[in-house]
Amino acid sequence: MRTSESAIWHQLETNEVLRKLESDFKAGLSAGEVKRRQAEYGLNQMTARRGTPAWLKFLQQFHQALVYILLAATVVSALLGEWVDAGVIFGVVLINAIVGFIEEAKAEKAIEALANMVRTEATVRREGRKQRVPSAELVPGDVVLLQSGDSVPADLRFIEVRSLQVEEAALTGESVPTEKRVKALPAETVLGDRKNLGFAGTLVTYGQAEGVVVATGDRTEMGRIATMLHEAVDLSTPLTRKIAEFSRLLLYVILGLAALTFVVGLLRGESAADMFMAAVALAVGAIPEGLPAAVTITLAIGVSRMAKRHAIIRKMPAVETLGSTTVICSDKTGTLTENQMTVSRIWAGGKVFEVTGGGYEPKGEIRASNVAAGDTPAAAMEVVRANSALRETLLAGLLCNDSQLVRKENRLQVEGDPTEAALIVAAQKAGFESAEISGRWPRVDVIPFESEHMFMATLHRAEGGCLIYMKGSVERLLDRCDRVLDASGKETALDAARVTGAVEEMTTQGLRVLAFASRRVPANHKQLSLDDVQGGLTLLGLQGMIDPPRAEAIRAVADCQSAGIAVKMITGDHRGTAVAIARQLGLRGGEDTNGQLSAVTGQELEKIADEKLPETAERAAVFARVAPEQKLRLVRALQSRGHIVAMTGDGVNDAPALKQADIGVAMGITGTDVSKGAADMVLTDDNFASIEAAVEEGRNVFDNLTKFIAWTMPTNGGEGLLILVSILVGTALPVLPVQLLWINMSTALLLGLMLVLEPKEKDLMARPPREPAQPILTPLLMLRIALVSLFMVAGGFALFLWEKSQGTPVAEARTVVVNVIVVVELFYLLNCRSLTRSFFSLGLFSNPWLLGGVVAMIVAQLLFTYAPFMNTLFNSAPISGLAWLKIVGLGALVFVAVEFKKWLDARRQSQPNRN
């Protein structure tokens, strides 16, 4: 017996399946055979994977180049005897590690959720009798009996079915239940079309079936997804990649400059001890101690803001990742659409009617599609009431129906078939209520839906006799009708071509079309047989339905596309439906030669080689009938082209791609635990529109972090260059290591962190996405940083030499230099509120936190300069008013120079390119 051939079962006839599995369909397996197979194949549950130990996860938080620099700063500070500073720096590192550890400790729960989905009981036939057993005890070859409401306990090959429909949306993306059958299928049939198979974790919504288990545990389709989910790589985010790259560069520069300082000093004849302290001073000055805290706080603020906008962030860097996203790959069902089938168009009495509203809430109206724009809703409804064929079509959909809507947790949910739920809601929009109508036309008998017949019929008592209502596929009902009901209620000759034209118009819009018919029979008619519906029926009308797009999703897609983000739909649904929904959403990409939106199917994807797939993935916007592993291929293909990929979804089938994507976005209400466990972000309102908010917040996070880095770099660079210049010219150090620590920590806390609270700039969503390969600091920003550093070094060193030449004590001269650095940082902070726009266009009070920080920094510097205890701690000394005038003048000069540079850059970019 071989059960590893998972791809063959759908193509085999039933007797061949039973032979391969060595199973007796009538009697089932014996108890002894069950035990033997359990020993061979194990229990029907997912294998638990060992995770990374908690202690190792915690230590991994320290494995970053920037953290190594800060740890080095801690050691240097301790060696200098500055235990308070060493403690503060190490405290920053420790807090950063703890926060990262707590956030990431919530991940990797997807395997457990998958296992929970198949912990059910199953009805089996063993030793010739039916019995209930835990689904975990099933083995390949077991005969399983299913009925409506059952969860499929393992992967099955159906042997007998009766009107079986299975809800497979979580696995295949189908928005309506799949009708199952027994007949063998071609070998190339894709997963979503394997109608003779049942998959573990899916739900039977209608009918009965008996099947034989072909796969259990890890060998099921859900087991394969669990394996893919485990094997998919957790990618670093653009922010962490850029920070790591920036930190490595900074590490090399700092070490290089420190070594250069040491060597130059020795060559000038200075003592090794003095040069060692000078190198230490340079390293301490150049290390941006506040950067990790700024990153953590900025991301934490982003997390808090996102929570208020219905998004829960599971990993803090994910806030920024979505802001850098260039492509959003979205599942259709439940994400872009309502996941609630809705009748949107009705043809009756020769007229077309539009049905407004979406979902299962009976909000909306039915109106004639040709009503003039000036007509009132009341006038439109009068047209509806006057059409007898429309009334009968709606009644047929309500009475020939076995489903019902119930309210659970303040949401209407369907018990039964979503298609029938759509018919109920359509009738309710016309004022019909199920209980009242069922009382007036009580059901006598029913012919349930059979996939072989493709229709359902019900017999009802009515005035003057009995009435048969029938619904089903257009092809089957047209063959049985010879008349059609017109708008006035009269029966006229059936024009099949006209009906077919109406059907084609609906199907081109991606609608699923059902036909409705009726026939009067005598009052003594007590049973309904197939002979009663073979002919002589009157066609009432057509109802076209679709899982409609969310109204807010349409707006969100437009906003994302205007922000330069490509939106792609990846679904398991049919091509026609996918394209119709994509058109309504306004998706762009993959148009055919006629400019019409087209879709790439799963079968077509299978034939595309991996090296050619990135081109297809880039070009197309709609992918239909896609299997889970193909979603994974598409995400990887887009990533291979340098894209930052966000994947949204709510089903089990989305989980591997959610984990592989740069950021996975799961739905909080309809999403499975598996998708939530694999995602970086969960939308609590299942609203695709919240993604636009996430993009905006993510862009703001990166924007403010860039501002902080652009602000702090001149300080660290200027401090390092001050030390280097003093060694080169052979003068005393203009600033001491302990004073550098004061500057770095106080300014980062009181000035720099105020930048992360800067409000969003108005043009944030009008900008294209950042190029993934673009560095944090652009050449223009690097030039600006160099300009400010030059002012700081030249001004600080010149004032130091001037004070010394005037006989000023060295402690006072160094205090002047410290204040030069701080005041230049303060003025430059105002420049950095926007990297492109003038400070004066932002509004002085738009960031009150920044004003508070500036005041606090001024107070701190006055204490540093004049407070005796600070003079003792930091070797500072009071300075004159004239010195303050020079210091403030230098800061103001830097502010004017940077504002002028921004004006020049903006003017240059606004001018047309002249060649």
Side-chain angles (χ1 to χ4, degrees):
M1 181 183 68
R2 299 176 63 191
T3 65
S4 60
E5 304 171 13
S6 61
I8 69 165
W9 300 112
H10 64 280
Q11 58 182 302
L12 299 178
E13 296 295 343
T14 55
N15 58 350
E16 182 65 14
V17 172
L18 292 168
R19 187 187 67 77
K20 279 182 171 289
L21 292 168
E22 300 173 11
S23 179
D24 185 333
F25 181 65
K26 297 299 182 184
L29 300 176
S30 66
E33 183 63 17
V34 169
K35 288 184 178 179
R36 188 191 70 77
R37 296 191 184 192
Q38 282 178 349
E40 181 179 355
Y41 296 106
L43 293 176
N44 178 33
Q45 59 191 26
M46 307 302 171
T47 304
R49 268 71 172 184
R50 287 189 61 187
T52 305
W55 63 268
L56 184 56
K57 284 183 179 179
F58 181 71
L59 289 181
Q60 286 173 345
Q61 305 300 318
F62 296 90
H63 185 50
Q64 303 174 45
L66 190 60
V67 173
Y68 292 150
I69 297 173
L70 289 174
L71 289 174
T74 302
V75 174
V76 168
S77 300
L79 290 174
L80 291 170
E82 300 295 335
W83 300 106
V84 174
D85 295 308
V88 170
I89 298 170
F90 184 71
V92 169
V93 175
L94 187 62
I95 291 170
N96 199 46
I98 291 172
V99 171
F101 172 75
I102 291 173
E103 290 299 319
E104 294 186 10
K106 300 174 185 175
E108 305 304 329
K109 293 182 179 178
I111 302 298
E112 293 177 22
L114 277 167
N116 289 334
M117 290 188 71
V118 293
R119 286 175 185 165
T120 58
E121 283 195 338
T123 302
V124 299
R125 187 159 53 235
R126 289 177 179 172
E127 298 183 325
R129 60 187 178 86
K130 289 198 300 183
Q131 50 188 291
R132 294 282 290 175
V133 300
S135 62
E137 296 179 7
L138 292 179
V139 295
D142 255 327
V143 177
V144 175
L145 288 70
L146 296 173
Q147 62 183 4
S148 180
D150 285 347
S151 177
V152 180
D155 283 5
L156 309 177
R157 173 63 162 89
F158 293 119
I159 306 299
E160 292 182 359
V161 298
R162 177 175 171 80
S163 306
L164 184 69
Q165 296 181 28
V166 181
E167 172 61 68
E168 297 179 338
L171 184 69
T172 66
E174 280 275 14
S175 55
V176 296
T178 302
E179 298 169 9
K180 295 295 184 177
R181 56 194 63 173
V182 173
K183 185 178 178 182
L185 298 168
E188 66 273 11
T189 305
V190 297
L191 183 70
D193 290 334
R194 294 178 187 174
K195 298 183 182 298
N196 55 15
L197 297 182
F199 302 107
T202 58
L203 181 69
V204 177
T205 61
Y206 194 88
Q208 301 85 37
E210 296 184 17
V212 61
V213 175
V214 296
T216 58
D218 291 339
R219 300 177 186 87
T220 63
E221 285 299 323
M222 283 203 179
R224 291 175 58 244
I225 290 175
T227 302
M228 287 190 290
L229 185 60
H230 181 68
E231 292 173 351
V233 179
D234 261 330
L235 300 179
S236 58
T237 72
L239 176 64
T240 54
R241 287 196 291 264
K242 286 181 171 64
I243 291 292
E245 182 182 320
F246 174 71
S247 301
R248 283 192 295 270
L249 175 63
L250 198 57
L251 177 64
Y252 299 143
V253 170
I254 291 170
L255 293 177
L257 288 176
L260 178 63
T261 300
F262 187 78
V263 172
V264 169
L266 289 180
L267 293 176
R268 292 182 59 86
E270 303 288 346
S271 70
D274 288 344
M275 288 307 96
F276 177 76
M277 293 309 297
V280 165
L282 186 146
V284 169
I287 293 171
E289 289 89 351
L291 184 55
V295 172
T296 301
I297 293 172
T298 305
L299 292 174
I301 290 170
V303 168
S304 176
R305 287 175 175 170
M306 286 304 302
K308 293 175 182 176
R309 302 180 79 171
H310 307 292
I312 302 299
I313 303 299
R314 299 180 68 247
K315 299 179 183 178
M316 282 203 292
V319 182
E320 177 274 336
T321 310
L322 200 54
S324 300
T325 296
T326 56
V327 177
I328 297 177
C329 296
S330 177
D331 185 45
K332 176 184 72 68
T333 306
T335 306
L336 291 166
T337 66
E338 299 278 2
N339 198 19
Q340 296 178 345
M341 290 297 289
T342 304
V343 174
S344 62
R345 189 162 290 241
I346 301 173
W347 180 89
K351 298 181 183 296
V352 176
F353 298 87
E354 294 178 356
V355 185
T356 64
Y360 294 150
E361 293 289 345
K363 297 177 181 177
E365 60 182 12
I366 303 172
R367 59 189 180 206
S369 62
N370 58 354
V371 172
D375 283 3
T376 64
M381 283 303 295
E382 191 59 40
V383 175
V384 173
R385 293 191 191 98
N387 192 307
S388 296
L390 172 62
R391 179 177 179 276
E392 285 296 312
T393 300
L394 292 168
L395 281 174
L398 189 59
L399 290 168
C400 191
N401 198 311
D402 280 335
S403 300
Q404 60 180 338
L405 289 167
V406 294
R407 190 170 293 278
K408 295 180 180 177
E409 298 178 356
N410 205 33
R411 295 179 73 243
L412 280 172
Q413 298 180 19
V414 60
E415 288 186 352
D417 187 284
T419 299
E420 291 189 330
L423 300 175
I424 295 171
V425 176
Q428 288 176 338
K429 290 175 181 177
F432 299 129
E433 290 297 334
S434 298
E436 179 192 352
I437 298 301
S438 298
R440 291 176 60 185
W441 287 277
R443 182 184 292 190
V444 177
D445 198 11
V446 60
I447 298 176
F449 182 88
E450 296 274 359
S451 55
E452 294 93 323
H453 301 144
M454 300 298 291
F455 65 77
M456 173 184 176
T458 53
L459 176 65
H460 301 267
R461 284 200 297 271
E463 292 182 11
C466 286
L467 192 61
I468 297 173
Y469 278 121
M470 188 174 177
K471 77 168 186 286
S473 72
V474 177
E475 295 80 6
R476 295 298 174 92
L477 264 66
L478 272 183
D479 291 341
R480 291 167 167 77
C481 296
D482 50 26
R483 298 177 303 281
V484 63
L485 196 68
D486 67 12
S488 65
K490 295 180 181 179
E491 295 181 358
T492 60
L494 176 66
D495 184 348
R498 188 178 181 187
V499 176
T500 303
V503 172
E504 289 177 353
E505 184 180 349
M506 288 188 186
T507 55
T508 56
Q509 298 172 27
L511 300 182
R512 183 186 183 195
V513 183
L514 289 180
F516 298 84
S518 68
R519 179 190 170 196
R520 286 199 167 271
V521 292
N524 60 358
H525 214 88
K526 302 299 182 183
Q527 289 186 327
L528 197 57
S529 68
L530 290 176
D531 291 337
D532 294 325
V533 293
Q534 286 301 318
L537 283 94
T538 300
L539 183 69
L540 304 175
L542 310 170
Q543 294 196 50
M545 62 196 70
I546 197 168
D547 181 13
R550 296 174 182 266
E552 59 271 27
I554 296 174
R555 293 190 296 270
V557 167
D559 290 339
C560 288
Q561 290 181 155
S562 66
I565 301 168
V567 180
K568 299 180 184 293
M569 178 196 293
I570 304 178
T571 178
D573 220 332
H574 294 278
R575 186 203 295 261
T577 304
V579 170
I581 292 293
R583 285 174 182 156
Q584 293 180 50
L585 287 166
L587 293 186
R588 298 195 296 263
E591 289 81 2
D592 58 23
T593 53
N594 296 321
Q596 297 295 314
L597 197 66
S598 61
V600 178
T601 65
Q603 280 189 331
E604 293 166 348
L605 284 176
E606 283 184 355
K607 299 174 184 177
I608 300 175
D610 286 343
E611 59 271 15
K612 293 184 178 179
L613 185 59
E615 180 182 351
T616 302
E618 179 99 40
R619 173 180 50 82
V622 184
F623 300 87
R625 306 303 286 164
V626 174
E629 57 268 23
Q630 291 176 325
K631 293 187 179 187
L632 203 57
R633 280 188 71 204
L634 286 168
V635 171
R636 286 172 173 163
L638 289 165
Q639 287 172 331
S640 72
R641 285 214 159 189
H643 283 294
I644 303 299
V645 181
M647 171 74 188
T648 73
D650 60 355
V652 174
N653 62 328
D654 299 319
L658 285 174
K659 188 163 183 171
Q660 175 66 38
D662 293 279
I663 179 168
V665 185
M667 302 296 116
I669 298 174
T670 59
T672 61
D673 287 343
V674 182
S675 63
K676 294 174 192 175
D680 301 286
M681 183 171 80
V682 179
L683 302 182
T684 58
D685 60 352
D686 281 16
N687 195 335
F688 187 88
S690 297
I691 295 174
E692 182 205 352
V695 169
E696 187 177 31
E697 291 296 343
R699 290 188 175 190
N700 190 50
V701 164
F702 202 98
D703 208 33
N704 285 349
L705 273 177
T706 304
K707 292 173 184 177
F708 178 86
I709 294 171
W711 170 81
T712 195
M713 285 307 296
T715 304
N716 299 115
E719 290 170 349
L721 288 174
L722 266 174
I723 303 298
L724 184 60
V725 170
S726 69
I727 299 301
L728 291 175
V729 301
T731 187
L733 292 180
V735 62
L736 297 174
V738 69
Q739 293 171 338
L740 292 173
L741 282 171
W742 161 260
I743 295 170
N744 290 354
M745 297 304 292
S746 63
T747 56
L749 178 64
L750 299 177
L751 297 182
L753 291 183
M754 300 305 109
L755 276 178
V756 306
L757 298 168
E758 190 67 27
K760 292 182 283 287
E761 294 192 39
K762 294 178 181 178
D763 65 341
L764 196 61
M765 289 300 289
R767 308 171 192 170
R770 289 178 61 91
E771 288 291 334
Q774 182 179 329
I776 295 176
L777 299 176
T778 62
L780 277 177
L781 283 180
M782 292 294 289
L783 184 60
R784 190 179 303 172
I785 288 168
L787 176 67
V788 177
S789 295
L790 183 62
F791 270 108
M792 189 180 289
V793 172
F797 199 69
L799 285 179
F800 180 72
L801 294 178
W802 168 261
E803 293 292 338
K804 283 191 65 180
S805 69
Q806 300 301 306
T808 304
V810 69
E812 189 176 333
R814 284 171 173 160
T815 304
V816 170
V817 176
V818 170
N819 280 299
V820 164
I821 297 171
V822 171
V823 170
V824 168
E825 281 191 84
L826 193 151
F827 276 99
Y828 183 49
L829 180 77
L830 304 179
N831 298 125
C832 289
R833 289 191 61 196
S834 174
L835 299 176
T836 55
R837 297 164 60 203
S838 167
F839 163 78
F840 301 102
S841 69
L842 302 174
L844 183 61
F845 300 103
S846 57
N847 185 356
W849 292 97
L850 185 135
L851 294 179
V854 167
V855 171
M857 190 71 245
I858 292 171
V859 172
Q861 278 309 112
L862 291 174
L863 288 172
F864 174 87
T865 306
Y866 297 107
F869 74 95
M870 296 289 276
N871 297 155
T872 303
L873 281 173
F874 294 102
N875 295 310
S876 58
I879 61 176
S880 66
L882 182 61
W884 276 115
L885 271 176
K886 296 173 184 175
I887 291 167
V888 173
L890 180 61
L893 180 62
V894 170
F895 174 80
V896 172
V898 174
E899 286 297 303
F900 181 67
K901 179 70 169 59
K902 282 198 285 187
W903 178 78
L904 282 179
D905 292 340
R907 190 164 180 265
R908 189 179 299 113
Q909 291 176 1
S910 65
Q911 288 179 341
N913 189 20
R914 297 172 182 173
N915 294 321

